[in-house]
Structure formats: C-alpha cells, structure tokens
Amino acid sequence: MSIQTIMVVGAGQMGSGIAQVAASAGRTVLWHDLSTQLLDTGVTSIRQQLERRVIKGKLTEVEKAEILSRILPAPVIDEAVQVDLVIEAISENMAWKTALFQKLDGICAPHVILATNTSSLPITEIAAATTRPSQVIGMHFMNPVPVMPLIEIIRGLETSQVVFDAIFQLSQELGKTPVEVQDFPGFVSNRILMPMINEAVFTVYEGVATVDAVDTVMKLGMNHPMGPLELADLIGLDTCLSIMEILHEGFKDSKYRPCPLLRKYVKAGRLGRKSGQGFYTYSS
C-alpha cells in the first residue's frame, strides 16, 4: 500500500509538526483547518523552523524550498478525495473527532486510511463512527513532532493487519520509531506519564515541596531532562487534566483522580506556556 499524499487535519502545534515531518519525507501534504489564519501561521512557523536548520547547516536552501512546496493549504476538506491517508490532529474531544471521521468517511476513496493522533481516546470508538473500522488506526506522535522519534501505533478492535503494516512502514519512512500499542486509555505514554505529572501536582497541593523543588528532585535525582511540572506547562495543563479525566473514566480507578490543584489552575486559565502562566510564569 503506497502512501504518497497525506491530508493533515488541524493546524495546531501537533498538526504543524506532522505536516512538516511528512513533507520532509517527500510526501505531498494537504493541510486542512477550519481557520485559514491558523494555516497561514502554521506555514510561517514551519518556514522559520526550516530556516533555523539551514542556518545550522542541517538543510540546504533548495531542500527547504522543496519541503515547503510539498505543503499545500487545503481550506476545503473535500480535497481529501485525492489522498491516500488522513491524519487527524484536532482537539481531544470525542464528539469533534467522531463527527470529523464520519465526514471524512463520506469523502475519501474506499482504500484511504483514517488515522488519529489522539493521545488517549479509544481508537475503536472513533472507528465505529465510520463504515471502514478496519482502516482506522492511531498514530500518536510526540511533541515536538520534528524532534521526538517515537510514534505509538494503536490498533483499534478491527484495524486490519494490512493497514497496521502500512502505517508502521510509513512511520519508519518518516524517520520515526513506531511502537505497537493496544487500545487502552492513555495507551502507554500517557498512562505512565500523566499519573506521574498528577502526583507531582499533588506533592505541591499537599505542601510536600515547592514547584521548583519537585522539578529539581526529578531532574537531578531521576535524570529526567525536564521536571514533571515544567513538562506539564509545556504540554498544557488543560490537556493534562483532560487526559487524567479520560484515564479516570476509562479505568474507574481512584488512582487516576485529577488533583484538585490541577483543576483549579485550569479553571483560572493558568494553562502553562500557551497562556503565559502555569506552575511557572512565562514572558511573552
């Protein structure tokens, strides 16, 4: 199964990274978002990132131009009719994702694979919204996509072996390391990472240590490159809370209960780097 033309849906941070990586691997990328402004901003961001690689000598001007030429803004989602694969990278909202997959199911040719970049929602439930559940799969890229080598490849209940093999091979061609994961809440990465972040929030909430102390312990004592609260700010506290709620609902286990302090920060709009304040304060 040859995958040469890919539609990426979503012009946020993850969608931008996926578009850049796919175009860098020689694929034609149709990039769709409801907001043309976000698409324009995304293309500018990719251009700036590629320019930095040129300055560092890791990319030539010709290669930069070729990559950018392969990223084609697609303001109309009906352009998905011409692709081999769609990778969805919109917000972690099941209703939005299932509505999108239903729409894509009606647009795309029968052979087209529909992939979701969800970090925690069930692939099987998303697939059930389509008439092609055997061709729906999870491709959970890590943030930032151009830098992080991992992709979790998640099978839904009915994902076919042919589709799995095609996506596994494509992931390698994108320069990533794919790892097979089954369809459980949080998969592997967030099932382990998010409870650690949540527990770090609890240590601050209970007065065990300050924010800086918690991060210092984990960096110097456990050799983590970033402290869990720094990482939470980078991911977005609203995203962390959403994933914890999905884990709590999916497993019905109190060990996944989101910390009240995490809820309080999200309600206050302290979402981390993207809002300028989370556990730390960031200058604009």
Side-chain angles (χ1 to χ4, degrees), residues 67 90 110 124 133 153 155-156 159 184 238:
I67 292 169
I90 66 173
T124 300
I153 308 297
R155 296 176 183 264
T159 303
F184 279 79
D238 52 340

Side-chain angles (χ1 to χ4, degrees), residues 147-164:
V147 176
M148 301 296 280
L150 175 69
I151 303 180
E152 288 183 305
I153 308 297
I154 306 106
R155 296 176 183 264
L157 181 64
E158 297 188 49
T159 303
S160 74
Q161 188 63 43
V162 170
V163 165
F164 177 85

Side-chain angles (χ1 to χ4, degrees), residues 50-185:
L50 294 177
E51 183 58 37
R52 285 195 287 270
R53 290 180 60 81
V54 171
I55 291 170
K56 293 178 180 178
K58 296 181 178 180
L59 202 67
T60 67
E61 283 287 352
V62 171
E63 289 169 333
K64 181 189 82 171
E66 288 176 348
I67 292 169
L68 289 170
S69 73
R70 288 192 285 268
I71 301 174
L72 309 174
V76 180
I77 198 170
D78 288 357
E79 293 186 49
V81 72
Q82 58 186 302
V83 306
D84 304 307
L85 166 69
V86 178
I87 303 176
E88 166 271 312
I90 66 173
S91 296
E92 286 289 271
N93 180 298
M94 179 58 82
W96 295 353
K97 288 183 187 292
T98 53
L100 174 60
F101 272 68
Q102 284 177 335
K103 190 167 189 177
L104 289 167
D105 189 34
I107 295 170
C108 295
H111 72 280
V112 174
I113 299 171
L114 304 180
T116 173
N117 181 55
T118 180
S119 60
S120 53
L121 294 171
I123 308 304
T124 300
E125 185 174 345
I126 295 171
T130 75
T131 61
R132 61 180 85 192
S134 64
Q135 289 165 250
V136 177
I137 195 166
M139 293 182 74
H140 181 208
F141 292 80
M142 302 295 121
N143 186 29
V145 179
V147 176
M148 301 296 280
L150 175 69
I151 303 180
E152 288 183 305
I153 308 297
I154 306 106
R155 296 176 183 264
L157 181 64
E158 297 188 49
T159 303
S160 74
Q161 188 63 43
V162 170
V163 165
F164 177 85
D165 291 343
I167 295 301
F168 197 92
Q169 179 178 334
L170 174 67
S171 300
Q172 293 175 319
E173 292 170 359
L174 296 182
K176 302 301 182 185
T177 300
V179 175
E180 179 180 356
V181 177
Q182 299 305 313
D183 192 14
F184 279 79

Side-chain angles (χ1 to χ4, degrees), residues 193-215:
L193 173 64
M194 287 302 160
M196 182 190 75
I197 288 175
N198 195 52
E199 197 63 27
V201 180
F202 265 115
T203 61
V204 173
Y205 177 63
E206 294 168 356
V208 177
T210 65
V211 169
D212 184 63
V214 170
D215 280 347

Side-chain angles (χ1 to χ4, degrees), residues 254-276:
S254 61
K255 73 180 180 180
Y256 298 110
R257 177 176 67 93
C259 179
L261 183 60
L262 180 59
R263 289 192 185 279
K264 182 179 289 187
Y265 275 26
V266 171
K267 287 179 179 178
R270 294 178 59 165
L271 307 181
R273 286 182 179 270
K274 60 187 173 185
S275 69

